[in-house]
Every structure is written in C-alpha cells, then in structure tokens.
C-alpha cells in the first residue's frame, strides 16, 4: 500500500512539472533552442523581424507563437512544420494578404492578425476547422469568402474598423450564425 502512495505522489509531481513547463513562455530563440523538446510557448514580439528565423521550425511542440509588432509581410511554407500550433499572433505587421501557410496548420484555434493591411482572405480558410477565434480588426478587407462558413467551431470574429456595407455585414452574419461578430458602423458606400 505504501508503494502505491509513493507511486501516486511521484505521478502527481511529474504532472505538475509537465504543466509548469508548458506554461513557460520563452522570449529568446537561443534559450528556446536549448530546450527544443520542452518549448510550447514562444514570444518573439517586438524583435524587428522581417522574416522568420529558420531555427524556429525545429520547435515541433510549439503551441503558442507571438510574432506581433514586427515587420513581417509573409510566412514561409516551412511554418507548416509547426503542426501543434494552436495560437498565433501576427498583429501589427505588414501583411497585405491572409497568409496561405496558416491554412495548413489545422490545429490552430486562435489567429490574431489585426492592424495589418490585409485586403483578401484566401478561400483555403475553410481548412481551419479547429478555429474558434479570428481577430482581423483594422485591416483593409472588402468582403469575406463564403468558405468561412466551413468554420463551424468559430465563436468570435472581430472585424471592427473595417468599413463593410450593410449588405456585406448581413451576408457574413448569415454565413456564421453561431459566431459573435464584431463590426464597426457601416459606411453604406457602394450599397
């Protein structure tokens, strides 16, 4: 019986260590590379990046990636190596199109890509079946593709500071009946 409690105690201790490791947010690529197998969260915001360091793609267990406030305008196809990624923040960069590579990360649950100059969203967005939150406020979108209706788990879509017509806002709402959508007031331009 004593061995059982000792074993149970050890298991609880290991579980706590594992949870603690999962909550560490690395802020330095070199430090992260020293712990490749144990890096789940990485914050590379405000690093003046105009491209992603290729060493990043070695972090196969990465679930959370913050690349906000950089100078990125594209994501390389190698990003698809991060198949465990659930959260990505690309806000305040220089994107003009929704990065196609994101649509290959099928476990993504949250995409924060506000404050860019994105004019279009790829129809391939339909591949992101696990997505629950998409934050695109303050971009240059004119319309949303019909394929967004495939995102049945999407619960929050932020489209504020984008001047959609009333007609387009209604169309988007019909495409996503179970999603809380945040709009700014309509411009009624082109209705």
């Amino acid at each position: 019986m004593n061995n059982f409690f000792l074993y149970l105690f050890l298991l609880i201790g290991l579980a706590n260590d594992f949870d603690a490791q999962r909550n560490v947010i690395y802020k330095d690529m070199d430090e992260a590379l020293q712990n490749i197998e144990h890096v789940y969260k990485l914050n590379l915001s405000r690093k003046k990046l105009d491209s992603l360091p290729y060493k990043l793609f070695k972090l196969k267990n990465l679930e959370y990636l913050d690349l906000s406030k950089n100078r990125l305008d594209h994501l390389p196809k190698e990003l698809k190596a991060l198949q465990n990624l659930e959260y990505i923040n690309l806000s305040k960069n220089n994107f003009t199109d929704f990065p196609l590579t994101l649509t290959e990360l099928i476990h993504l649950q949250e995409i924060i890509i506000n404050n860019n100059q994105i004019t279009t969203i790829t129809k391939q967005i339909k591949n992101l079946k696990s997505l629950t939150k998409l934050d695109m406020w303050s971009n240059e979108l004119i319309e949303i593709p019909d394929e967004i209706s495939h995102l049945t788990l999407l619960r929050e879509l932020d489209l504020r500071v984008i001047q959609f017509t009333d007609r387009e806002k209604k169309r988007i709402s019909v495409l996503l009946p179970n999603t809380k959508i945040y709009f700014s007031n309509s411009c009624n331009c082109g209705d």
Side-chain angles (χ1 to χ4, degrees):
M1 191 69 149
N2 285 340
N3 285 341
F4 172 76
F5 287 113
L6 179 61
Y7 180 70
L8 185 61
F9 181 74
L10 287 172
L11 278 178
I12 291 170
L14 287 173
N16 287 339
D17 286 346
F18 182 71
D19 286 342
Q21 185 63 43
R22 273 190 117 80
N23 290 321
V24 172
I25 300 177
Y26 289 85
K27 295 183 178 183
D28 179 76
M29 230 11 248
D30 292 331
E31 184 182 353
L33 290 170
Q34 292 174 11
N35 299 296
I36 287 177
E37 294 300 317
H38 302 288
V39 177
Y40 298 95
K41 296 181 179 183
L42 181 63
N43 183 339
L44 295 178
S45 66
R46 299 175 191 243
K47 301 284 186 191
K48 300 180 181 177
L49 299 173
D50 53 13
S51 64
L52 295 183
Y54 277 85
K55 294 176 182 177
L56 170 69
F57 311 124
K58 293 181 178 182
L59 304 175
K60 304 287 186 201
N61 292 325
L62 201 60
E63 296 173 352
Y64 172 102
L65 180 58
D66 187 342
L67 296 167
S68 63
K69 300 175 184 166
N70 280 296
R71 300 174 182 158
L72 300 169
D73 62 5
H74 73 285
L75 294 176
K77 62 183 177 188
E78 289 81 5
L79 187 70
K80 67 183 175 183
L82 304 179
Q83 282 298 309
N84 290 314
L85 207 58
E86 296 175 356
Y87 172 96
I88 190 164
N89 188 337
L90 299 167
S91 62
K92 295 188 178 181
N93 275 284
N94 297 320
F95 292 98
T96 57
D97 291 314
F98 189 90
L100 187 60
T101 304
L102 289 181
T103 65
E104 297 185 45
L105 298 170
I106 59 171
H107 297 291
L108 273 176
Q109 295 174 19
E110 288 189 40
I111 299 173
I112 313 297
I113 193 165
N114 61 52
N115 285 285
N116 280 278
Q117 300 88 41
I118 296 173
T119 58
T120 60
I121 297 177
T122 176
K123 293 178 179 192
Q124 297 310 106
I125 196 164
K126 68 183 178 183
N127 297 340
L128 297 173
K129 305 272 189 214
S130 299
L131 201 62
T132 61
K133 179 178 181 177
L134 178 57
D135 182 346
M136 294 203 61
W137 74 275
S138 196
N139 274 287
E140 303 295 323
L141 293 169
I142 298 167
E143 65 180 8
I144 301 291
D146 290 343
E147 287 75 9
I148 202 165
S149 67
H150 294 263
L151 307 183
T152 57
L153 297 179
L154 190 63
R155 294 295 168 249
E156 185 177 330
L157 175 59
D158 196 336
L159 298 172
R160 289 176 293 167
V161 195
I162 302 173
Q163 294 301 310
F164 289 115
T165 63
D166 282 338
R167 180 179 298 148
E168 182 62 11
K169 286 164 66 172
K170 184 174 183 174
R171 188 182 74 80
I172 295 166
S173 296
V174 168
L175 289 171
L176 297 166
N178 299 316
T179 303
K180 175 66 179 163
I181 305 171
Y182 299 95
F183 291 112
S184 291
N185 292 333
S186 298
C187 70
N188 289 319
C189 36
D191 255 359

